[in-house]
Amino acid sequence: MAQLSDDCFAFGGALMRVEEALALVAERLPPVSGTERVGLAEAAGRVLAADLCSPLDVPPFANSAVDGYAVRHADLAPEGETLLPVGGRVAAGGSLGRPIRPGEAIRIFTGAPMPEGADTVFMQEDAEALPDGRVRLPPGLARGANARAAGEDVAAGSVILRAGRRLRPQDVGLAASIGVTSLEVRRPLRVAVFSTGNEIAEPGTPLGPGRLYDSNRFTLGAALRGLGCAVTDLGILPDRRDAVASALRDAAPAHDLLLTSGGVSTGEEDHVKAAVEAAGSLFLWRLAIKPGRPVAMGQVGGTAFIGLPGNPVAVMVTFAHVVRPVALRLMGATVTPPARFAVRAAFAYRKKPGRREYVRVTLALGEDGATEARKFPREGAGLLSSLVESDGLVELGEEVRTVAPGDTVAFLPYSELA
């Protein structure tokens, strides 16, 4: 389990910038322990536990990059065409079985081993096969053209994948290319997810007066599984301090992270703060971010705890900028910020300085063909549909006060946030 020291998030008062808060987390929050070996078919999305070195060159032999004719560059006429007899044929998976002879060409196919002594390949489209068994080759081809060297892709002894990498499909393919069948990875992060609130109802049950169906638990669960976490859905907790405290206390021993949504503000019906203090320790974290300022963090029985706001848009934003990096840190993964793309604003906007804000936008092509961001027409933090009907968020830094049409802004697609 992840152990948080008692002063891990001991700060309050002024709002804290996201980078400052995450730097504090990185200093105090160690990755969970435990690894396991999995087959390549199960490795995508997992975190590599140790550097992977290649025992061999890839490709292990020099080979042709095209269908054509392998030759010795020294046999080519310095000016004008060259006529050479075709002395053999080699296909992928085969071998000529002898070195190339001076003054001959070898018919060769893509991926086939280069005959010993051959160093250049003419594409068949550039060569002319003659009825008498010779081939006419044009002038001007550089030595080594269309020939792949042994180890061109991977050199024997090199580190091809670093520990801490969340494995992507191409990473798994690269591992397969060096002949391994399994990888040592960190065990999945075990996350318990709760929603809180008397007004929240389970989908599929009758919806009583003043109640709403729970969506946050499903959003968070899907996003966590996308990170490779093992998620336990522990349902909806009522607005009672004792019930929340008991549920968190019971869940802590079997999990590495406890995650709730709702109940983290300072209203009379917001009981998460008192519940976590009753079950463990809480360090209230107020971020200089909109939406999503009220975020709580602490520990219950040595297990990390994060409490997110209840509004669906705030949940998405705080997941991206708080839960995602903390979860990756606990997983032992290399934490990289979401990619931002420069686009042109097609909207005007005003904000307070000192706070980072996220504006929902759709992307479209302007009349000049440039990509522009168009602000979603509604701004409520409870509008889950706005996350479906928009393409991502424009990030406005703490120093920004206004945005005017034509300004360059940073766009974060939802695929980068979850």
Side-chain angles (χ1 to χ4, degrees), residues 40-347:
L40 293 186
E42 292 77 43
R46 303 297 296 273
V47 177
L48 193 63
D51 290 351
L52 181 64
C53 296
S54 178
L56 58 114
D57 286 330
V58 179
F61 51 84
N63 65 91
S64 177
V66 298
D67 292 347
Y69 296 87
V71 300
R72 300 187 330 149
H73 194 269
D75 291 334
L76 301 177
E79 297 181 4
E81 298 176 337
T82 300
L83 290 174
L84 295 176
V86 179
R89 181 180 186 277
V90 57
S95 172
L96 185 62
R98 62 171 176 82
I100 190 172
R101 300 186 183 102
E104 74 171 348
I106 300 298
R107 181 75 166 114
I108 197 167
F109 296 87
T110 303
M114 291 285 288
E116 182 183 347
D119 56 16
T120 304
V121 180
F122 282 84
M123 295 179 65
Q124 63 184 17
E125 297 92 329
D126 297 331
E128 180 185 358
L130 302 177
D132 62 1
R134 296 184 296 170
V135 62
R136 178 179 285 118
L137 304 172
L141 192 64
R143 184 187 302 272
N146 302 315
R148 300 178 179 134
E152 179 184 74
D153 190 10
V154 173
S158 64
V159 177
I160 64 169
L161 296 171
R162 293 286 182 185
R165 175 183 286 269
R166 284 191 66 234
L167 296 168
R168 304 166 298 171
Q170 57 265 46
D171 301 323
V172 175
L174 187 61
S177 77
I178 66 169
V180 303
T181 59
S182 62
L183 295 170
E184 190 73 15
V185 298
R186 288 188 173 272
R187 67 164 176 82
L189 190 71
R190 302 168 301 188
V191 186
V193 180
F194 302 86
S195 289
T196 67
N198 292 337
E199 77 282 12
I200 302 301
E202 188 71 33
T205 64
L207 195 61
R211 306 192 74 192
L212 300 170
Y213 285 127
D214 184 15
S215 63
N216 288 343
R217 213 167 80 249
F218 299 92
T219 300
L220 292 171
L224 289 164
R225 292 183 185 96
L227 289 179
C229 299
V231 179
T232 305
D233 182 343
L234 292 177
I236 301 168
L237 301 178
D239 283 325
R240 294 201 332 268
R241 185 185 69 174
D242 60 338
V244 176
S246 177
L248 295 177
R249 192 182 293 112
D250 290 345
H255 296 90
D256 308 301
L257 174 63
L258 308 176
L259 182 61
T260 66
S261 66
V264 292
S265 294
T266 56
E268 293 181 7
E269 294 300 322
D270 294 314
H271 299 289
V272 170
K273 178 179 185 296
V276 176
E277 289 176 331
S281 301
L282 179 69
F283 313 98
L284 188 62
W285 184 359
R286 300 198 312 144
L287 291 181
I289 188 173
K290 180 184 177 182
R293 181 179 66 178
V295 176
M297 193 160 186
Q299 63 179 3
V300 176
T303 297
F305 166 82
I306 302 176
L308 302 182
N311 284 322
V313 179
V315 162
M316 186 74 167
V317 171
T318 51
F319 179 89
H321 295 287
V322 179
V323 179
R324 178 182 180 274
V326 170
L328 290 174
R329 168 76 178 170
L330 288 170
M331 293 162 63
T334 301
V335 181
T336 56
R340 292 156 172 81
F341 302 91
V343 300
R344 185 175 64 198
F347 62 91

Side-chain angles (χ1 to χ4, degrees), residues 9-26:
F9 301 102
F11 54 85
L15 300 182
M16 179 171 280
R17 293 193 178 200
V18 174
E19 288 80 8
E20 295 171 337
L22 293 180
L24 184 60
V25 172

